[in-house]
Amino acid sequence: DLVTKGTDEPYRMFTSRAEYRILLRQDNADARLTPRGRERGLVKDSRWQMFEAKQKDIGELNKTLQSARLLPEKVNQLLEEIGSASIEQKTALVQILKRPGVHLKELLPFASIDDRESHTKNYSIEVVEQVEIEIKYESYIIKERDMANKVKEFASLRIPLNMDYSRIHSLSSESKEKLSRIKPETISAASIISGISPSDIATLLLYIKK
């Protein structure tokens, strides 16, 4: 905001103002930024090899877990101990992992694949945590990525000059006031107005496309 939009008031820093904050997470910062650093010659070979190994492990573990199952007789004691409901039949590990308070490191020892014990190697804590986050918040991540792609796709979409922003109830009072005063001509122009969040842009897109 400070670089691209400037500000004419004391700046308030909120996570809600981060652009696509579900995608811009601390745990995936290396996945987002290391390739960019590599392109600019800032990442040495040793660091790049470590990064590639980690990404390979993440992909490998994620793929393995999609077919992993948990057996009631093996996992129910653990589920009861952590205050989660027990299961009555073989259940997908990813389904159980999405429950509140359940963590992947606790479930891995009980995973079975194709009716045999899972022989997953000892993955690093960072890899296990990354995969857990991606599975737990999968639906939110997909939704946010879709929204980001839509905003990018419709950046040049023109906004009617007679748009009555006061009729868009989902917009905040601040957003209505700024959009009404500035009257941006396109979605791209609206997105760089200070105080206009990605969710505001998504709401505007929906309203225009009705």
Side-chain angles (χ1 to χ4, degrees):
D1 281 3
L2 295 175
V3 173
T4 62
K5 302 179 181 180
T7 181
D8 54 8
E9 61 182 23
Y11 189 77
R12 296 163 294 174
M13 186 174 290
F14 299 117
T15 55
S16 60
R17 287 192 173 182
E19 188 177 17
Y20 313 120
R21 64 186 185 277
I22 296 178
L23 302 181
L24 302 178
R25 307 186 311 274
Q26 177 181 342
D27 65 277
N28 69 1
D30 59 341
R32 291 183 287 105
L33 302 177
T34 304
R36 293 176 180 268
R38 180 69 171 179
E39 290 173 2
R40 290 160 177 77
L42 302 175
V43 177
K44 295 181 179 180
D45 289 345
S46 57
R47 175 71 182 88
W48 182 247
Q49 290 168 5
M50 291 172 58
F51 169 75
E52 288 188 312
K54 180 183 176 183
Q55 296 309 304
K56 180 181 178 181
D57 283 350
I58 289 173
E60 183 181 273
L61 179 56
N62 212 330
K63 182 179 179 180
T64 298
L65 295 181
Q66 298 307 313
S67 58
R69 300 291 183 268
L70 297 174
L71 300 173
E73 61 270 21
K74 292 189 176 183
V75 77
N76 274 345
Q77 182 177 347
L78 168 66
L79 294 177
E80 291 169 3
E81 288 176 355
I82 61 179
S84 189
S86 58
I87 57 177
E88 297 181 357
Q89 59 186 8
K90 185 189 297 184
T91 305
L93 182 147
V94 294
Q95 182 178 337
I96 301 298
L97 181 57
K98 292 182 180 181
R99 293 181 179 183
V102 177
H103 298 290
L104 180 55
K105 63 181 180 181
E106 300 167 333
L107 298 181
L108 277 178
F110 303 99
S112 63
I113 302 172
D114 299 329
D115 295 321
R116 57 183 173 78
E117 291 297 321
S118 171
H119 295 292
T120 54
K121 64 183 182 182
N122 293 323
Y123 293 99
S124 69
I125 295 175
E126 291 80 7
V127 167
V128 173
E129 289 180 346
Q130 176 82 63
V131 171
E132 177 178 331
I133 290 171
E134 290 179 357
I135 291 175
K136 274 186 176 292
Y137 302 102
E138 179 183 22
S139 60
Y140 298 99
I141 292 172
I142 291 174
K143 182 179 179 181
E144 184 109 315
R145 186 176 291 118
D146 288 344
M147 185 175 75
N149 290 336
K150 284 180 181 178
V151 171
K152 184 177 181 180
E153 179 183 355
F154 294 103
S156 60
L157 181 66
R158 298 192 69 81
I159 302 173
L161 292 177
N162 61 346
M163 173 74 76
D164 184 359
Y165 296 101
S166 64
R167 296 170 61 98
I168 309 178
H169 303 299
S170 299
L171 291 175
S172 66
S173 297
E174 178 186 6
S175 298
K176 291 177 183 177
E177 185 276 325
K178 289 187 174 182
L179 289 167
S180 298
R181 173 166 51 85
I182 299 174
K183 298 185 182 302
E185 295 184 359
T186 64
I187 289 294
S188 178
S191 69
I192 62 173
I193 297 174
S194 178
I196 303 300
S197 68
S199 61
D200 290 329
I201 298 300
T203 298
L204 197 55
L205 271 174
L206 290 173
Y207 190 84
I208 293 174
K209 292 169 65 179
K210 281 184 179 179

